[in-house]
């Protein structure tokens, strides 16, 4: 993830480059992200172009259920997964950190109420929240998936953010800022948040891993935002019956999703190790 | 891909007990926790009801393009879902039914919901219980192996593999296992679960191997990593060093000192993962077409079958809340520190 490099100080970056997990995970994430971004320009065929008979072995990975080129669709199909996963991760992080920090900073009764409501959201497995709302919707849209996945991240991020913030709000520099008469919003934004960087960065990497998984899973379960466009998750749903006859039509998108999540997860763990005292292997 | 293992501190939830002793303190603690669980479930029921029946228009979703043409069916559906009543009235009606065991009528099957999902609940429970029973010794075994080689090459290798597995979405694991064992490489196991009507999935045990394996691979890495971390902490501690100096063999140190201390964090992470399994089965059942509530949930969401979705969501949330309650209780009973904090 490029964001990790931008926000870390040079010494942190140098330490990061010594962590094998971080380097390997980061490289894997980078390679697949580049593939996803430039793929559509390099694809040999259009995403809806019929090149041969259905499930034939024409081309590198053969053709899919409609006779479209699997390689080309794989090159097109990562973009929507990546964009939706990234947006929902950002949304989930922003919402979750806000909720968690406000709960920790407000304390007392507010903290109790906010965290109790948080527990209610935690009683849902993440995919279930999306499925619940999609029940009453005739055609899922991309923004709905972003909202739902983001909303399902928020309580989980909030729990972590509250824990991290609790260790900060009682420190002297926060009291000093309050004594100087800073507004509450400014204390949170300028004093508390900047000191939560490292654990939140690791959490963001983890959330991105889960976002990719959930977004692809929704496609796999048949909740397509755009039924004709190529999408890794949806490709599994379209071609799964051909797993025995034309395995690449399923294995190509599955392997890409798998490698992507392994990459982001290793990166997240690398960051988490570095943020711990004496971390790094 | 399962839930992150951020463990709650067992002491955090224990209220400081004043002037109460022994049994009374325990009863008070239990009553408080049961009350909170009931409150959570009540709020969950509101969330379930509102998000399934008022955010979108279920009737429009069910009827699709026939919405404008078929006025009679539209009225019938509106009638069946009581959509003419205001939301609070509908919700209270539904809640009253839920509490008295009447889950309504499925829209797709036109049969009572309890009849539709009754047999499926048992199938899913069998799947989850087998997965849990297989997972626990496997996860502890891997953790002990890893801790045995701590900070050496085999440990590092095991940790990277576990981390990679932890990141994989469960449908990726499932499809790769199908490709490996059922279709492309070997053809030794069935790819999907086919169950004759009136029969049960466990009457064809080979069909359960891959779904169970998928769930175990999704959950074991998390448990293993937490248990290993606890084992390492204990194995590096002063009192274990003293035990070694006294000449106690490493195997006994591992069994008597390290493993016993890893049980409480182990229970918490296992509970977290069992709770996760309640949701994780949704996708795994869909991959293998396993006849359980998860697969039915996906099917019902596709059919916009609101009453079935509501019932299954409540079951999953109830399992989640229940498992967490039992885990908290167990970890307090097994932690002497926390135990005395309550009853003294």
């Amino acid at each position: 993830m490029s964001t990790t490099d931008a926000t870390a100080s040079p010494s942190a970056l140098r330490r990061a480059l010594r962590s094998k997990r971080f380097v390997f995970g980061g490289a894997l994430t980078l390679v697949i992200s580049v593939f996803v971004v430039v793929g559509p320009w390099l694809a040999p065929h259009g995403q809806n172009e019929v090149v041969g008979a259905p499930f034939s072995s024409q081309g590198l990975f053969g053709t899919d259920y409609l006779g479209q080129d699997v390689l080309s669709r794989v090159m097109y199909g990562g973009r929507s997964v990546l964009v939706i996963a990234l947006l929902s991760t950002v949304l989930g992080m922003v919402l979750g950190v806000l909720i968690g920090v406000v709960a920790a900073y407000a304390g007392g009764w507010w903290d109790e109420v906010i965290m109790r409501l948080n527990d209610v959201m935690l009683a849902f497995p993440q995919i279930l929240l999306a499925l619940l709302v999609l029940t009453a919707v005739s055609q899922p849209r991309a923004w709905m998936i972003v909202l739902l996945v983001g909303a399902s991240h928020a309580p989980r991020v909030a729990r972590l953010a509250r824990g991290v913030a609790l260790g900060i709000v009682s420190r002297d520099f926060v009291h000093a800022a309050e004594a100087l008469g800073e507004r509450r919003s400014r204390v949170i934004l300028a004093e508390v948040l900047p000191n939560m960087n490292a654990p939140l960065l690791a959490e963001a990497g983890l959330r991105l891993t889960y976002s990719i998984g959930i977004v692809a899973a929704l496609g796999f379960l048949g909740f397509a935002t755009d039924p004709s466009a190529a999408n890794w998750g949806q490709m599994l749903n379209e071609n799964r019956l051909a797993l025995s006859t034309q395995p690449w039509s399923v294995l190509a998108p599955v392997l890409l999703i798998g490698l992507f999540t392994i990459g982001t997860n290793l990166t997240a763990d690398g960051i988490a190790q570095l943020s711990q005292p004496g971390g790094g292997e | 891909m399962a839930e992150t293992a951020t463990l709650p501190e067992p002491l955090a939830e224990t209220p400081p007990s004043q002037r109460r002793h022994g049994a009374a303190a325990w009863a008070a603690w239990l009553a408080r926790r049961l009350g909170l669980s009931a409150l959570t479930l009540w709020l969950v029921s509101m969330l379930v009801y509102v998000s399934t029946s008022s955010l979108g228009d279920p009737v429009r979703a069910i009827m699709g393009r026939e919405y404008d043409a078929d006025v009679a069916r539209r009225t019938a559906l509106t009638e069946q879902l009581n959509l003419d009543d205001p939301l609070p009235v509908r919700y209270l009606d539904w809640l009253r039914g839920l509490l008295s065991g009447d889950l309504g009528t499925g829209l797709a099957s036109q049969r009572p919901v309890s009849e539709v999902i009754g047999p499926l609940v048992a199938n899913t429970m069998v799947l989850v219980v087998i997965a849990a029973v297989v997972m626990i010794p496997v996860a502890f075994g891997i953790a002990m192996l890893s801790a045995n080689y701590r900070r050496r090459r085999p440990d590092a290798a095991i940790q990277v593999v576990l981390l990679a597995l932890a990141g994989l979405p469960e449908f990726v694991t499932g499809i790769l296992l199908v490709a490996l064992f059922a279709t492309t490489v070997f053809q030794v196991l069935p790819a999907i679960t086919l169950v004759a009507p009136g029969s049960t999935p466990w009457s064809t045990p080979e069909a359960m191997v891959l779904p169970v394996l998928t769930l175990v691979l999704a959950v074991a890495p998390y448990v293993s990593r937490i248990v290993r971390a606890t084992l390492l902490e204990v194995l590096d501690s002063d009192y274990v060093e003293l035990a070694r100096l006294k000449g106690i063999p490493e195997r006994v140190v591992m069994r008597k000192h390290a493993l016993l201390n890893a049980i409480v964090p182990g229970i918490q992470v296992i509970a977290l993962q069992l709770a996760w399994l309640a949701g994780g089965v949704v996708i795994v059942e869909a991959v293998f077409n396993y006849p359980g509530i998860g697969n039915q949930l996906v099917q019902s969401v596709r059919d916009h079958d609101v009453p079935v979705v509501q019932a299954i969501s409540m079951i999953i949330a109830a399992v989640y809340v229940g498992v967490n309650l039992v885990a908290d209780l167990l970890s307090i009973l097994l932690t002497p520190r926390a135990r005395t904090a309550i009853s003294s």
Side-chain angles (χ1 to χ4, degrees):
Chain A
M1 280 177 305
S2 55
T3 51
T4 59
D5 303 351
T7 50
S9 63
S11 68
L13 180 62
R14 205 169 305 135
R15 271 197 306 148
L17 290 177
R18 264 188 276 131
S19 153
K20 276 189 209 141
R21 273 175 207 178
F22 181 83
V23 172
F24 181 72
L28 194 58
T29 311
L30 197 67
V31 167
I32 295 187
S33 304
V34 169
F35 175 83
V36 165
V37 173
V38 302
W41 290 310
L42 301 179
H45 301 281
Q47 57 176 331
N48 292 318
E49 190 183 328
V50 176
V51 296
F55 298 129
S56 68
S57 55
Q58 203 171 337
L60 183 59
F61 290 142
T63 58
D64 72 355
Y65 75 120
L66 292 176
Q68 304 163 115
D69 183 37
V70 171
L71 176 65
S72 306
R73 278 178 79 77
V74 157
M75 295 178 91
Y76 273 99
R79 220 179 242 190
S80 58
V81 174
L82 180 63
V83 170
I84 294 179
L86 269 179
L87 288 178
S88 53
T89 305
V90 170
L91 178 70
M93 287 300 295
V94 170
L95 275 179
V97 169
L98 269 181
I99 297 171
V101 171
V102 167
Y105 187 64
W109 195 77
W110 275 109
D111 187 22
E112 183 72 19
V113 171
I114 292 175
M115 293 329 279
R116 200 49 64 197
L117 289 176
N118 212 42
D119 282 353
V120 175
M121 295 287 286
L122 285 175
F124 286 100
Q126 288 195 263
I127 190 103
L128 186 59
L129 189 73
L131 289 178
L132 265 181
V133 175
L134 291 181
T135 309
V137 169
S138 20
Q139 172 63 52
R141 309 241 176 265
W143 62 265
M144 289 179 195
I145 312 277
V146 171
L147 273 184
L148 291 171
V149 177
S152 70
H153 283 318
R156 291 160 172 87
V157 177
R159 196 174 45 176
L160 175 98
R162 175 177 172 272
V164 178
L166 275 181
I168 296 174
V169 291
S170 56
R171 301 254 289 271
D172 285 343
F173 62 87
V174 176
H175 293 316
E178 282 166 347
L180 285 171
E182 295 276 16
R183 278 205 317 275
R184 289 186 136 207
S185 58
R186 207 184 133 67
V187 175
I188 289 180
L189 289 177
E191 307 291 341
V192 179
L193 272 182
N195 288 292
M196 298 172 63
N197 260 336
L200 289 187
L201 211 55
E203 179 72 6
L206 199 65
R207 289 296 142 202
L208 182 61
T209 309
Y210 294 160
S211 292
I212 297 167
I214 298 168
V215 170
L218 286 173
F220 165 70
L221 294 177
F223 301 101
T225 52
D226 181 353
S228 67
N231 169 309
W232 289 346
Q234 232 164 290
M235 287 176 73
L236 308 179
N237 187 39
E238 294 160 356
N239 302 322
R240 59 185 293 195
L241 292 177
L243 187 58
S244 53
T245 50
Q246 215 290 69
W248 281 116
S249 61
V250 178
L251 288 184
V254 154
L255 288 174
L256 279 166
I257 297 167
L259 289 175
F260 204 8
T261 50
I262 290 177
T264 50
N265 205 34
L266 287 179
T267 314
D269 192 75
I271 301 171
Q273 272 188 342
L274 289 174
S275 67
Q276 282 158 6
E281 274 183 21
Chain B
M1 190 189 71
E3 190 47 51
T4 32
T6 40
L7 298 180
E9 170 64 35
L11 281 170
E13 276 292 318
T14 56
S17 58
Q18 297 113 352
R19 289 187 304 277
R20 287 208 207 95
H21 291 279
W26 277 102
W29 181 86
L30 203 60
R32 188 183 119 92
R33 286 309 311 266
L34 281 175
L36 282 176
S37 301
L39 180 69
T40 304
L41 276 179
W42 176 56
L43 291 169
V44 162
S45 75
M46 280 205 256
L47 187 63
V48 165
Y49 197 83
V50 170
S51 51
T52 45
S53 62
S54 72
L55 291 185
D57 181 352
V59 175
R60 191 181 281 275
I62 294 162
M63 297 188 64
R65 262 172 298 177
E66 290 165 35
Y67 184 78
D68 293 316
D70 196 344
V71 183
R73 176 133 184 268
R74 195 166 81 202
T75 335
L77 272 174
T78 312
E79 181 73 19
Q80 192 178 345
L81 290 171
N82 296 326
L83 289 179
D84 289 331
D85 292 337
L87 185 65
V89 176
R90 275 189 280 152
Y91 166 72
L92 287 176
D93 272 351
W94 174 75
L95 187 65
R96 201 171 301 129
L98 195 67
L99 291 176
S100 60
D102 173 18
L103 301 170
T105 309
L107 300 177
S109 58
Q110 293 299 336
R111 286 192 299 150
V113 173
S114 47
E115 210 174 282
V116 175
I117 62 177
L120 306 179
V121 171
N123 291 354
T124 298
M125 269 176 60
V126 168
L127 182 62
V128 170
V129 168
I130 294 180
V133 168
V134 174
M135 178 272 286
I136 293 170
V138 167
F140 271 80
I142 293 173
M144 283 166 69
L145 193 67
S146 205
N148 208 22
Y149 290 105
R150 57 191 168 279
R151 300 190 192 94
R152 281 183 279 152
R153 211 162 264 273
D155 178 34
I158 291 175
Q159 290 311 306
V160 169
V161 171
L162 289 182
L163 205 54
L165 278 175
L168 279 184
E170 51 279 13
F171 65 92
V172 170
T173 321
I175 291 175
L176 289 178
L177 286 176
V178 168
L180 189 59
F181 291 111
T183 58
T184 313
V185 186
F186 305 107
Q187 279 111 31
V188 289
L189 291 166
I192 56 166
T193 323
L194 284 176
V195 177
S199 177
T200 50
W202 52 93
S203 55
T204 49
E206 66 272 18
M208 295 197 67
V209 174
L210 289 182
V212 167
L213 192 55
T214 309
L215 286 175
V216 170
L217 286 177
V219 165
Y222 290 86
V223 179
S224 233
R225 280 167 57 82
I226 294 285
V227 173
R228 169 188 171 267
T230 318
L231 288 177
L232 286 195
E233 205 176 294
V234 179
L235 289 173
D236 288 344
S237 68
D238 290 342
Y239 70 87
V240 165
E241 196 54 46
L242 182 67
R244 288 201 194 97
L245 290 174
K246 276 162 58 185
I248 295 174
E250 191 67 22
R251 276 185 41 239
V252 180
V253 169
M254 176 70 98
R255 206 176 56 229
K256 286 184 76 172
H257 296 267
L259 204 54
L260 282 179
N261 275 296
I263 284 181
V264 170
I267 285 177
Q268 290 179 337
V269 70
I270 286 169
L272 213 58
Q273 298 307 319
L274 283 182
W276 177 86
L277 277 179
V281 286
V282 173
I283 293 174
V284 174
E285 287 184 359
V287 170
F288 295 99
N289 206 18
Y290 184 89
I293 54 169
N295 203 9
Q296 180 64 49
L297 176 70
V298 173
Q299 194 56 52
S300 299
V301 173
R302 275 196 211 122
D303 296 343
H304 310 287
D305 195 337
V306 177
V308 177
V309 173
Q310 287 167 338
I312 295 180
S313 310
M314 286 309 296
I315 293 176
I316 292 177
V319 168
Y320 198 104
V321 171
V323 167
N324 275 322
L325 184 66
V326 172
D328 278 356
L329 187 61
L330 274 183
S331 54
I332 285 183
L333 285 177
L334 292 173
T335 315
R337 215 161 34 119
R339 205 161 54 210
T340 39
I342 286 189
S343 61
S344 64

